[in-house]
């Protein structure tokens, strides 16, 4: 089991609170990061394939918004973990601009620059 912790914020009725969730990256074929606008508007989804039913299942870690540096740390850590065959691969491989934000490419560039920094640590 390869657990990666993700610091995020959870919305409540009147505020939000910081929270840490644990994600077993081995349960997922890949992860998708959604940008929903703003500096703390990155959301994570895990994609699993169920062999017995031949279906894809998406686990949405919804209501857990992440700041740019938090999601960058998750990406760097998850991508370093080797698969069952011993190969390191980019587990976080899909990025989505959910609300067609005009600043998406700038924010994505900033995110990927941070991922590079955290990969070197």
């Amino acid at each position: 089991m390869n657990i990666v912790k993700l610091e995020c914020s959870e919305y409540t009725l009147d505020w939000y609170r910081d929270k840490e969730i644990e994600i077993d990256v081995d349960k997922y074929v890949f992860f998708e990061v959604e940008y929903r606008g703003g500096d703390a508007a990155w959301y994570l989804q895990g994609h699993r394939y169920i062999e017995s039913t031949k279906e894809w299942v998406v686990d949405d870690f919804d209501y857990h918004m992440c700041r740019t540096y938090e999601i960058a740390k998750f990406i760097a850590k998850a991508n370093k973990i080797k698969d069952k065959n011993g190969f390191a691969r980019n587990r976080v491989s899909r990025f989505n601009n959910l609300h067609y934000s005009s600043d998406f490419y700038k924010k994505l560039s900033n995110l990927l620059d941070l991922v590079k920094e955290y990969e070197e640590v």
Side-chain angles (χ1 to χ4, degrees):
M1 208 164 45
N2 287 302
I3 303 293
V4 176
K5 294 180 181 181
L6 176 63
E7 293 181 31
C8 51
S9 298
E10 179 181 42
Y11 286 114
T12 65
L13 291 174
D14 60 348
W15 195 246
Y16 67 92
R17 64 177 175 223
D18 290 336
K19 185 175 184 176
E20 184 176 80
I21 58 176
E22 293 183 350
I23 299 169
D24 182 359
V25 297
D26 293 333
K27 288 176 54 177
Y28 300 95
V29 176
F30 70 96
F31 292 92
E32 178 175 354
V33 176
E34 285 189 345
Y35 178 67
R36 298 183 186 176
D39 290 326
W42 298 99
Y43 291 76
L44 185 68
Q45 294 179 323
H47 293 257
R48 297 183 286 129
Y49 185 71
I50 310 301
E51 189 66 42
S52 61
T53 61
K54 308 287 187 218
E55 293 179 341
W56 284 95
V57 175
V58 178
D59 292 334
D60 192 0
F61 302 102
D62 207 6
Y63 300 110
H64 298 299
M65 66 173 194
C66 300
R67 292 172 192 87
T68 303
Y69 68 91
E70 293 163 342
I71 201 75
K73 286 179 186 176
F74 175 84
I75 294 169
K77 288 177 185 175
N79 284 350
K80 282 184 180 180
I81 296 173
K82 294 182 179 178
D83 65 14
K84 62 183 176 185
N85 298 318
F87 297 106
R89 59 185 175 89
N90 289 335
R91 293 174 185 260
V92 183
S93 58
R94 187 182 290 174
F95 296 87
N96 184 20
N97 183 10
L98 188 65
H99 298 300
Y100 311 108
S101 298
S102 60
D103 64 347
F104 173 69
Y105 293 107
K106 179 181 177 186
K107 297 294 185 173
L108 182 60
S109 293
N110 292 341
L111 173 64
L112 296 176
D113 286 344
L114 273 176
V115 169
K116 282 188 240 178
E117 279 184 40
Y118 292 135
E119 284 175 339
E120 295 171 0
V121 175

